[in-house]
Amino acid sequence: MSDSVLELRGISLRREGVRILREIDWRIEAGEHWALLGANGSGKTTLLKVITGYEWPSAGEVRVLGREYGACDLRILRREIGLVSHALEERLHPSDSALETVLSGLDASFGLYREFTPEERAAAAAALASVGCAQIAERKTALLSQGEKQRLILARALVGNPRLLILDEPCIGLDPAAREDFLLGLRAVACARQAPTLLLVTHHIEEIGPWVKGVLLLRGGRVLAAGDPGRVMTGDLLSRAFGRPLRVRRRQGRWSLLPGETGDASPGAGGKGFRVQETT
């Protein structure tokens, strides 16, 4: 294995006799941004736990940021991995300001337990500005909207300059306007000159922006397809992944998923309902 950002070889995982993941191979190079896509129960969460070292595979090899699991200190490695998840909102301290919350990311903690230097405070302010939240720096987290909290969590993950940034279904609970604001901030992060490698975990293709260069599609714990989004996010493959006839539309670089047309064949059989519609 080389020093890529992520390499999985032959990853399988059994839990109480049930096979959750089956022979997964995946490789992400530095500078590539990927999405992990699949229906609920497809294995996304379990695979994410394997990547972050919170689940150990029954078989296979895991290497992240050039270090092989089983031969490295995961506590040190995790300092180079940023995580954005809706679940982290519950751990925010309501009395901390937005700037203080971002500062806590430097120590991978929630809450402040030391004094921070002017340079560290400047880095936290820059992280807030990078996601369009400079104006909320002094506001208490209890007073922030759902969308502002999620962008705050993104800034907190960025302040330590991670080499890999994992976004675990980050748009859960956001209304359409807040989701668009978050996705705009995420695109700015992805397109920045020294951006970390981004891994977006989702089951909504609408969240997969043009900055995503690869998609891994899971079904039943197996890789159904992997590679260029245009080849993976087809109606045929997504119908098989989600278990019903679906159509894919791409308009001005944005993806959307629609029900299959009346008379479509069963998932995976082809038919006119499985075409990608390109519009401008």
Side-chain angles (χ1 to χ4, degrees):
M1 292 185 175
S2 65
D3 290 336
S4 60
V5 172
L6 171 68
E7 288 190 80
L8 306 180
R9 285 189 178 178
I11 297 299
S12 296
L13 188 145
R14 288 180 177 270
R15 188 182 296 144
E16 298 180 358
V18 178
R19 184 173 290 182
I20 309 298
L21 301 175
R22 304 173 183 232
E23 294 293 325
I24 293 178
D25 295 320
W26 193 10
R27 178 177 174 132
I28 299 177
E29 299 289 353
E32 295 179 345
H33 302 313
W34 279 68
L36 175 58
L37 179 66
N40 289 334
S42 63
K44 299 191 307 297
T45 298
T46 301
L47 183 58
L48 185 58
K49 288 180 179 178
V50 169
I51 292 170
T52 52
Y54 291 106
E55 286 269 13
W56 212 255
S58 306
E61 300 174 68
V62 181
R63 185 181 289 261
V64 175
L65 299 175
R67 275 154 284 184
E68 184 177 352
Y69 285 15
C72 69
D73 189 332
L74 288 176
R75 295 169 299 177
I76 295 175
L77 175 60
R78 289 189 187 117
R79 295 174 187 169
E80 300 182 55
I81 302 173
L83 177 64
V84 175
S85 172
H86 174 74
L88 294 179
E89 183 186 330
E90 299 176 357
R91 303 182 62 185
L92 298 179
H93 287 201
S95 61
D96 285 348
S97 70
L99 185 65
E100 289 171 334
T101 300
V102 175
L103 281 169
S104 72
L106 290 170
D107 295 333
S109 66
F110 285 91
L112 305 183
Y113 302 97
R114 66 177 177 89
E115 293 294 324
F116 291 87
T117 67
E119 292 77 14
E120 289 173 325
R121 290 184 172 274
L128 274 173
S130 73
V131 298
C133 286
Q135 72 281 2
I136 68 169
E138 300 305 320
R139 289 172 59 189
K140 302 298 183 184
T141 59
L143 302 178
L144 300 180
S145 69
Q146 189 77 27
E148 289 170 335
K149 287 179 182 177
Q150 202 64 356
R151 282 188 284 163
L152 174 62
I153 291 170
L154 176 58
R156 180 183 174 276
L158 290 170
V159 72
N161 295 315
R163 294 173 58 193
L164 173 62
L165 179 61
I166 297 174
L167 302 113
D168 183 16
E169 301 193 11
C171 296
I172 289 178
L174 301 184
D175 63 35
R179 184 177 76 162
E180 286 304 305
D181 286 342
F182 181 86
L183 293 176
L184 283 172
L186 188 57
R187 179 174 183 171
V189 170
C191 297
R193 185 174 181 181
Q194 295 183 328
T197 296
L198 271 58
L199 171 54
L200 172 65
V201 183
T202 185
H203 53 263
H204 295 292
I205 70 171
E206 296 85 356
E207 297 171 6
I208 298 176
W211 51 269
V212 174
K213 301 306 179 186
V215 175
L216 185 83
L217 180 60
L218 286 182
R219 179 191 182 211
R222 295 180 182 270
V223 176
L224 182 60
D228 180 84
R231 294 198 302 267
V232 173
M233 294 196 297
T234 66
D236 186 10
L237 288 170
L238 294 181
S239 294
R240 291 164 62 189
F242 290 94
R244 65 178 57 206
L246 297 167
R247 291 180 293 127
V248 177
R249 182 172 64 190
R250 190 178 187 186
R251 176 179 293 171
Q252 298 180 343
R254 294 292 299 269
W255 300 90
S256 58
L257 202 57
L258 306 171
E261 296 175 358
T262 303
D264 283 348
S266 60
K272 65 179 181 179
F274 300 118
R275 296 196 185 110
V276 176
Q277 298 180 351
E278 294 275 3
T279 58
T280 57

